Amino acid sequence: MRTLFDRLIGSLVFKIALAIIVVETILLGLFGGYYVQYFGAEIDRRIAEQISTPGRLIQHEQLKVSILSDPEQMKLLLGPHLQQALAVGFDGTIYHSTDPLKIGTSVSSLPDFPEDQLSPGMTEQVLMTVDDPTGTSMVSITPIFNLNANQPFMYVYLKVSTKGLEESQRQMQSVLLIGSALCLLLTSGLIFLFTQQTVLKRLITAAQFVNKIQIGKLSSRLTPMGRDEIGILERGLNAMAESLERRTQQHQAAQDALRDSEERFRDFTLSSADWYWEMDSDFKIAFASYKFYQLIEEINGTPQGQSFDKLGLQPEHPQGWQQLNQHLNKHTAFYNIEFSWISRDGEKQFGRINGVPVFALDGSFNGYRGTGSNITDQKRAAEEQQALQRQLATSQKLEAVGQMAGGVAHEFNNCLAGILSFAEVARAKIDDPERVKEYIDHVISLGERATGVADQLLMFSRRRIDQPKNVRVEGIFSEMEKLLVTLLEHRIDLQIWSDEPNLHTRVDPTQLSACILNLAINARDAMPDGGTLQISCSKADVPPIAQRGIDEGDDIYPPEAEGQYVVITIQDTGTGIPADVIDHIFEPFFSTKEPGKGTGLGLSIVHSWVEEAHGFINLESIEGEGTTFSIYLPRSEPDTEPVHEVAEIGEFPGNGERVLIVDDEHALRTTAQIILDDAGYKTETAKSTEEALTILSQNVDNAPFDVILTDVVLPGRSGPQLVIEALRQSPHYGVVFVSGYPARSRMELENLLGNYVFVKKPFRPGQLQKAIQDALKLASSRARTT
């Protein structure tokens, strides 16, 4: 009930009806009171007019004064409420009266007669209201004058009761009030009905329309009934509904798109091999995709609310987290931050993360979003690729060796022919010591020449780790010249020079030689009908990018290159490189040669090695005219390196020290034994590790050996294994290793043994004697320290 009452009180219809009633009541009060007063005054005026009319008519002689004695006529004139009608003389005598009994009497006998009003000076009619026991009455006194008289000789006195008139007046007022009320009520009803039809009904319809909009019926519309204010409101509501429906549809479409996007993103994150993460402005992880969450939970619990350096991940770079924090503090993007962790199965895994800062519309920093990925397979693939590249580099070198095999064989045959010839001549001239010495010198020279050819072969065929050293470029040219002449065949003119003989660079000399050899082989293949190959060396100063001229753009120097460089130029007059393939010339396995005539790795290996040496390559080629490769390597200052002179025979004599010579080659055992016996050492020989160990064990107490001279490569157990076993039995031995593969053997021995003496095959007698002396000194110093 209370709710219904509240709804009634709060409804607009009730308020409008109440307002109309209040307004009509006020109007009724105002206008009704006005009309009541108006009609009351009008009745009084008419009564006064009616009561004063007979007196004026008698005064103007239009009626006879005797009419006052005729009651019937007076009632016709003044109505049934006439009380007295008198004609009174100036002396107060009554001459005419509707009551015959009063004629001839004096007015003084009449009760409540206003004698004071009858004065000789009265000139105008007097109207007054008097109260008596019978009620209120209205009195009219009219003076009557004779012709040319100044004073009245008679007075007409009329008295009419107002009781009936008041009753009539009240009835008239009641009728007026009731009529006014009915008129106002009718008017109010009509106004309410009009308002109901023209305003309230349309407002109720609008309210119902708004309710429909509230419950989601956005397709509802109003029918505007006119161009008034409510019509404007109706059209506005329709426009609002259309806009709301359109925006709701757009919002729904956006919600659907957002839901689809979220589902798509969730599916991507679940199926993607990458990780996705988000951190807040405090650099704490606020979101992590499933795989990233699973990874961190496996090694360090939940990542939620933790920073990257607290997740149990180890940076691969020593300053990895420091670099990351620098980016975070500066609110800049970071890329390729690598780290590692140990999985549950004990394997080391590798990962990488990238991130970009997130800013709000007002520019405030909100945090970071980024991705990550497991790069373990990439790392392992890169390691395998590096191993493969090393194998391919070796294959490329072997390809070069194969190409120059004929020339090398020719060179070896020349050396061997000379050695045999001079040996035969020396034997024939055995009685002429001077001639024999001359022929022996030639044999030694030819042997050294053959040794140089063998060194070149080993240089390009063996596997090795880069060993950078400060090298003089012109010296590399000199060492390679004979090999290049043999390789290029005599149809190609080789020209080698240097602008400055003292240009140095810090690189691996073997790799530099291989680089030049690869480019020379390519140049040879580009000149099938002969031509000219120029190999030169010069220096160049590369300015910083900000100081370069128009002719020194990125097509000549890389943006990051600057400083002093040595420029090695290999220029040929061959067929040139077609313009459509020049951009691919350094790609692995890209080759323009016929199948079976090249692997497509030479230029790729050259390019990779030059970049690893912190240099770069410029290529210029004109099809049909030739190609020029310019290799830029960082220039270094020359330094002083010790010069190893070949020791002479007898310079390091022995004093009866015992030396065990171990080599599977009989000629080498015999040669070494002769050299050391002649120098004053006592020697024994063995052809294998087992035989050597037997000899050592037999002499460990009786005349033990001082030095073991052994080849690195032996049948069965190797020379290093022999030395390890011998030193385990007696640590006082001096050790000298001999090998024809110095680089490989030295790396292996450094991993197995500490100090040792190494002699490269073939050796000179003086070198072997010095090696024995050095081994004795090392053994003596080792004995003192122990």
Side-chain angles (χ1 to χ4, degrees):
M1 188 70 181
R2 181 177 179 81
T3 302
L4 182 63
F5 178 75
D6 292 339
R7 291 180 61 184
L8 177 65
I9 295 298
S11 66
L12 182 60
V13 175
F14 177 81
K15 292 179 181 178
I16 291 177
L18 182 63
I20 291 174
I21 292 173
V22 171
V23 171
E24 293 293 346
T25 302
I26 294 173
L27 291 176
L28 178 63
L30 293 175
F31 288 102
Y34 170 75
Y35 282 116
V36 167
Q37 290 180 359
Y38 171 77
F39 283 114
E42 183 67 18
I43 290 173
D44 291 340
R45 186 186 66 78
R46 287 184 181 183
I47 293 174
E49 180 70 21
Q50 184 179 7
I51 199 172
S52 63
T53 296
R56 286 198 306 272
L57 291 177
I58 294 172
Q59 187 182 32
H60 293 97
E61 297 180 354
Q62 294 178 352
L63 286 176
K64 293 181 179 180
V65 71
S66 60
I67 197 172
L68 297 175
S69 298
D70 189 351
E72 298 296 331
Q73 289 294 328
M74 291 304 297
K75 287 184 179 180
L76 290 175
L77 289 174
L78 297 177
H81 299 290
L82 176 66
Q83 290 181 329
Q84 288 180 348
L86 301 175
V88 181
F90 66 89
D91 57 354
T93 302
I94 299 173
Y95 293 99
H96 297 281
S97 172
T98 55
D99 184 2
L101 297 177
K102 295 180 180 179
I103 297 174
T105 63
S106 175
V107 293
S108 58
S109 63
L110 297 175
D112 301 322
F113 187 85
E115 292 183 42
D116 56 339
Q117 296 292 331
L118 303 178
S119 64
M122 179 183 289
T123 59
E124 295 293 336
Q125 187 180 46
V126 176
L127 293 173
M128 65 183 69
T129 300
V130 297
D131 293 326
D132 54 28
T134 61
T136 303
S137 301
M138 184 170 284
V139 176
S140 170
I141 301 175
T142 304
I144 304 297
F145 296 89
N146 286 328
L147 184 64
N148 297 322
N150 293 325
Q151 294 182 349
F153 72 97
M154 187 177 289
Y155 300 93
V156 176
Y157 176 80
L158 298 173
K159 183 178 180 181
V160 179
S161 175
T162 61
K163 182 178 180 181
L165 294 176
E166 289 175 355
E167 195 134 322
S168 299
Q169 183 179 10
R170 284 194 295 271
Q171 291 177 356
M172 186 177 293
Q173 288 176 347
S174 298
V175 171
L176 180 62
L177 287 175
I178 292 172
S180 299
L182 291 176
C183 180
L184 289 176
L185 289 176
L186 180 61
T187 303
S188 299
L190 292 175
I191 292 174
F192 181 78
L193 290 176
F194 176 77
T195 306
Q196 171 74 16
Q197 293 297 321
T198 59
V199 178
L200 292 179
K201 185 176 181 180
R202 293 167 68 184
L203 290 178
I204 292 172
T205 303
Q208 294 173 348
F209 167 76
V210 172
N211 289 333
K212 291 179 180 179
I213 296 298
Q214 287 179 341
I215 64 177
K217 296 181 179 180
L218 301 180
S219 59
S220 302
R221 295 292 182 273
L222 290 170
T223 302
M225 303 298 294
R227 295 188 174 276
D228 53 8
E229 290 80 357
I230 298 180
I232 295 174
L233 174 63
E234 291 169 341
R235 284 187 288 274
L237 290 175
N238 283 338
M240 179 194 71
E242 291 175 359
S243 176
L244 185 60
E245 183 179 18
R246 184 172 57 255
R247 293 193 177 189
T248 301
Q249 292 174 350
Q250 293 174 350
H251 178 71
Q252 185 62 39
Q255 287 287 343
D256 294 341
L258 179 61
R259 184 174 58 256
D260 293 341
S261 176
E262 289 177 348
E263 292 178 355
R264 189 180 302 112
F265 176 74
R266 182 168 57 251
D267 293 340
F268 284 158
T269 56
L270 290 176
S271 61
S272 174
D274 289 340
W275 315 316
Y276 303 91
W277 54 268
E278 184 176 15
M279 64 169 56
D280 54 26
S281 57
D282 295 330
F283 309 131
K284 306 295 184 183
I285 300 295
F287 166 79
S289 63
Y290 174 73
K291 290 190 176 179
F292 189 47
Y293 197 101
Q294 190 178 36
L295 164 67
I296 302 304
E297 192 175 34
E298 177 182 330
I299 60 177
N300 197 45
T302 175
Q304 203 78 16
Q306 299 193 57
S307 58
F308 266 107
D309 54 353
K310 304 297 183 183
L311 297 179
L313 306 173
Q314 300 300 322
E316 283 298 286
H317 191 277
Q319 297 179 345
W321 295 143
Q322 183 178 354
Q323 293 176 356
L324 176 61
N325 289 330
Q326 289 176 356
H327 285 288
L328 295 179
N329 293 331
K330 293 179 181 178
H331 299 168
T332 57
F334 57 86
Y335 303 96
N336 300 329
I337 301 295
E338 295 187 0
F339 53 85
S340 63
W341 69 95
I342 304 300
S343 64
R344 288 181 178 177
D345 54 8
E347 292 187 3
K348 186 174 183 179
Q349 304 287 317
F350 299 91
R352 178 189 296 138
I353 57 170
N354 309 298
V356 294
V358 179
F359 297 95
L361 294 177
D362 58 359
S364 59
F365 174 69
N366 284 350
Y368 271 85
R369 292 193 187 105
T371 62
S373 56
N374 188 322
I375 60 171
T376 303
D377 293 339
Q378 299 178 24
K379 280 278 190 180
R380 291 172 181 169
E383 293 175 358
E384 293 176 359
Q385 182 180 11
Q386 291 176 0
L388 181 60
Q389 286 179 346
R390 288 194 295 269
Q391 293 177 2
L392 292 175
T394 301
S395 175
Q396 183 69 18
K397 293 174 186 178
L398 291 175
E399 180 186 351
V401 172
Q403 294 188 28
M404 65 182 180
V408 170
H410 176 74
E411 186 71 13
F412 266 119
N413 285 333
N414 288 338
C415 293
L416 292 175
I419 291 172
L420 293 174
S421 298
F422 281 115
E424 291 289 342
V425 173
R427 187 170 60 178
K429 300 292 184 180
I430 193 68
D431 295 333
D432 188 351
E434 293 296 327
R435 297 292 295 275
V436 171
K437 183 178 182 302
E438 178 184 352
Y439 298 150
I440 293 301
D441 289 340
H442 286 297
V443 170
I444 293 173
S445 178
L446 289 171
E448 291 177 346
R449 179 178 171 183
T451 300
V453 175
D455 287 342
Q456 291 289 335
L457 285 173
L458 292 174
M459 177 180 67
F460 294 109
S461 64
R462 64 175 173 263
R463 291 186 304 169
R464 57 171 293 140
I465 301 173
D466 282 359
Q467 297 178 347
K469 61 171 60 177
N470 204 26
V471 298
R472 188 168 63 91
V473 180
E474 191 177 44
I476 299 294
F477 289 174
S478 300
E479 293 176 1
M480 296 188 64
E481 185 171 4
K482 289 183 180 180
L483 182 60
L484 289 173
V485 169
T486 302
L487 180 67
L488 295 176
E489 305 168 359
H490 294 293
R491 59 186 171 84
I492 296 176
D493 180 23
L494 176 63
Q495 300 176 5
I496 299 178
W497 77 88
S498 176
D499 289 348
E500 294 185 21
N502 206 27
L503 291 176
H504 287 68
T505 182
R506 187 167 185 80
V507 294
D508 188 313
T510 302
Q511 295 287 9
L512 178 58
S513 299
C515 175
I516 296 172
L517 179 63
N518 269 312
L519 295 177
I521 291 173
N522 284 344
R524 182 201 66 185
D525 294 340
M527 297 183 288
D529 299 326
T532 302
L533 175 63
Q534 298 179 353
I535 301 176
S536 62
C537 179
S538 61
K539 65 179 180 180
D541 293 332
V542 179
I545 188 171
Q547 301 177 11
R548 297 177 190 174
I550 300 177
D551 57 343
E552 297 176 326
D554 293 346
D555 54 339
I556 297 180
Y557 304 130
E560 67 277 4
E562 64 176 270
Q564 298 178 336
Y565 287 85
V566 172
V567 186
I568 300 173
T569 304
I570 295 91
Q571 182 177 12
D572 64 63
T573 57
T575 57
I577 303 173
D580 58 338
V581 301
I582 197 167
D583 292 336
H584 306 283
I585 204 69
F586 292 114
E587 295 178 3
F589 302 105
F590 181 84
S591 176
T592 58
K593 298 178 182 180
E594 298 178 4
K597 294 188 176 181
T599 62
L601 294 170
L603 291 179
S604 173
I605 293 173
V606 168
H607 186 268
S608 298
W609 175 78
V610 171
E611 285 190 342
E612 290 174 1
H614 307 291
F616 58 93
I617 300 178
N618 275 346
L619 169 61
E620 297 179 7
S621 184
I622 301 176
E623 195 169 359
E625 295 186 12
T627 302
T628 301
F629 286 90
S630 298
I631 302 173
Y632 288 75
L633 297 172
R635 193 161 81 237
S636 62
E637 296 297 327
D639 53 12
T640 302
E641 295 185 357
V643 178
H644 300 286
E645 297 181 354
V646 178
E648 296 293 334
I649 298 176
E651 187 175 348
F652 302 96
N655 191 23
E657 293 89 349
R658 299 196 66 193
V659 180
L660 176 61
I661 302 171
V662 185
D663 201 311
D664 59 334
E665 182 64 40
H666 179 268
L668 291 177
R669 292 198 307 271
T670 303
T671 303
Q673 188 173 22
I674 293 172
I675 292 172
L676 295 178
D677 286 344
D678 291 344
Y681 297 98
K682 295 180 180 180
T683 63
E684 286 191 34
T685 62
K687 60 182 178 182
S688 66
T689 300
E690 287 71 17
E691 185 180 351
L693 290 174
T694 300
I695 295 173
L696 289 173
S697 62
Q698 293 174 352
N699 295 272
V700 66
D701 297 324
N702 183 23
F705 288 94
D706 299 296
V707 178
I708 300 174
L709 173 64
T710 178
D711 192 3
V712 174
V713 180
L714 291 172
R717 287 190 286 180
S718 65
Q721 290 175 322
L722 164 64
V723 171
I724 292 173
E725 183 65 27
L727 291 177
R728 185 181 296 115
Q729 297 177 4
S730 178
H732 72 274
Y733 294 124
V735 179
V736 177
F737 286 108
V738 181
S739 177
Y741 299 90
R744 184 178 67 185
S745 298
R746 288 185 180 182
M747 286 189 294
E748 293 174 352
L749 295 176
E750 284 174 358
N751 293 331
L752 293 173
L753 303 171
N755 296 329
Y756 63 91
V757 179
F758 194 93
V759 177
K760 174 182 169 297
K761 293 180 181 179
F763 48 79
R764 303 288 293 275
Q767 293 175 330
L768 186 59
Q769 295 170 12
K770 183 177 184 301
I772 298 299
Q773 288 289 334
D774 292 340
L776 290 170
K777 292 179 181 178
L778 285 175
S780 176
S781 62
R782 187 168 59 246
R784 287 196 299 269
T785 56
T786 57

